[in-house]
């Protein structure tokens, strides 16, 4: 349901394009891990994945379930609430493992939070939490890195700016891009696996940002070539 709503709404907010390193859609039972930059990017990612026929279960902060209409949609779609910093947090990984075992795709945000920035510019993903690595090791599921860029052009920054960005987006229709990387299996060790996942998502984000001509992506490519 949420994927289809996103697919209907996102084209009115911006011009979405999608690329992939893999000819086929992510295999059933895959963990799709994305960078998180804006309140708008979950919708953008869901709309992009639906183009590939993928409607994932989403791991999201439990606070979203308290929003009246959104909470009901999340519950109906079998989404996994994450009760961070509580004794219920581990239960989210158990629920996610069940979804993967049932052959569902799972969308997770490795950073687990939005960046504390007010500008609309792109930047590489921040540090990842360990939950992704622990889930991948426990389930044996392949990890599919996904990078999105442009969501901060829709909405970012303090509350007033967020609202203003959302209202004006249909007139501005900023460019948005999602790039899906090749699947991988994370190496042993939580720390090493977490670093590997972050590097793969960073590479996917850099490709997406490069499609939009973002300075952060272009600078990164120049540094690697030097």
């Amino acid at each position: 349901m949420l994927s289809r709503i996103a697919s209907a709404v996102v084209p009115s907010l911006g011009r979405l394009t999608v690329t992939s390193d893999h000819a086929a859609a992510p295999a059933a039972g895959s963990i799709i891990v994305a960078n998180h930059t804006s309140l708008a990017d979950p919708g953008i990612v869901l709309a992009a994945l639906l183009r590939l026929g993928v409607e994932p279960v989403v791991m999201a902060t439990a606070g979203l379930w308290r929003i009246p209409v959104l909470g009901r949609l999340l519950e109906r779609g079998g989404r996994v609430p994450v009760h961070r910093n509580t004794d219920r947090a581990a239960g989210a990984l158990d629920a996610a493992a069940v979804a993967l075992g049932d052959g569902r795709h799972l969308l997770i945000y490795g950073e687990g939070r939005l960046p504390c920035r007010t500008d609309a510019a792109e930047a590489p993903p921040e540090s990842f939490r360990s939950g992704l690595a622990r889930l991948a090791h426990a389930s044996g599921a392949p990890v599919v890195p996904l990078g999105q860029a442009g969501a901060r052009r829709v909405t970012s920054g303090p509350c007033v700016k967020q609202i203003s960005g959302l209202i004006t987006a249909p007139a501005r229709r900023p460019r948005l891009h999602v790039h899906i990387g090749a699947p991988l299996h994370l190496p042993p060790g939580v720390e090493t696996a977490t670093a590997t996942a972050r590097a793969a998502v960073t590479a996917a984000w850099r490709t997406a940002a490069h499609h939009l001509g973002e300075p952060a992506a272009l600078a990164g490519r120049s540094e690697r070539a030097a």
Side-chain angles (χ1 to χ4, degrees):
M1 176 69 76
L2 280 180
S3 293
R4 298 183 185 281
I5 292 173
S7 184
V9 172
V10 167
S12 69
L13 299 177
R15 294 164 288 163
L16 174 62
T17 49
V18 183
T19 52
S20 176
D21 286 337
H22 203 258
S30 295
I31 302 171
I32 301 169
V33 56
N35 62 312
H36 198 15
T37 61
S38 163
L39 291 174
D41 67 59
I44 293 166
V45 169
L46 289 176
L49 289 173
L50 189 59
R51 293 187 182 184
L52 303 178
V54 173
E55 296 186 59
V57 171
V58 182
M59 291 189 74
T61 180
L64 295 178
W65 270 253
R66 293 193 291 270
I67 301 174
V69 175
L70 179 59
R72 286 196 295 274
L73 290 172
L74 288 167
E75 189 67 33
R76 186 180 305 170
R79 271 56 182 180
V80 179
V82 182
H83 299 268
R84 294 194 179 93
N85 304 316
T86 73
D87 55 4
R88 300 172 63 188
L93 294 183
D94 293 337
V98 170
L100 291 169
D102 289 341
R104 299 292 303 275
H105 295 90
L106 182 79
L107 174 61
I108 184 172
Y109 287 91
E111 296 151 285
R113 61 191 177 280
L114 286 170
C116 297
R117 295 190 290 113
T118 59
D119 62 286
E122 291 292 325
E126 297 181 346
S127 60
F128 275 22
R129 296 174 182 265
S130 64
L132 165 64
R134 290 185 282 121
L135 177 61
H137 288 158
S139 65
V143 171
V144 178
L146 182 152
Q148 60 77 29
R152 292 185 67 81
R153 298 177 179 180
V154 176
T155 181
S156 58
C159 184
V160 172
K161 185 182 176 186
Q162 298 263 4
I163 295 171
S164 174
L166 197 59
I167 291 173
T168 61
R172 295 183 289 110
R173 301 199 71 243
R175 292 175 62 208
L176 314 167
H177 193 87
V178 168
H179 181 76
I180 301 165
L184 68 151
H185 284 277
L186 299 184
V190 170
E191 186 174 340
T192 301
T194 300
T196 299
R198 181 173 178 263
V201 174
T202 299
W205 161 80
R206 203 174 294 284
T207 299
H210 179 68
H211 273 270
L212 302 185
E214 281 284 347
L218 299 175
R221 286 171 178 253
S222 297
E223 289 166 6
R224 290 203 306 275

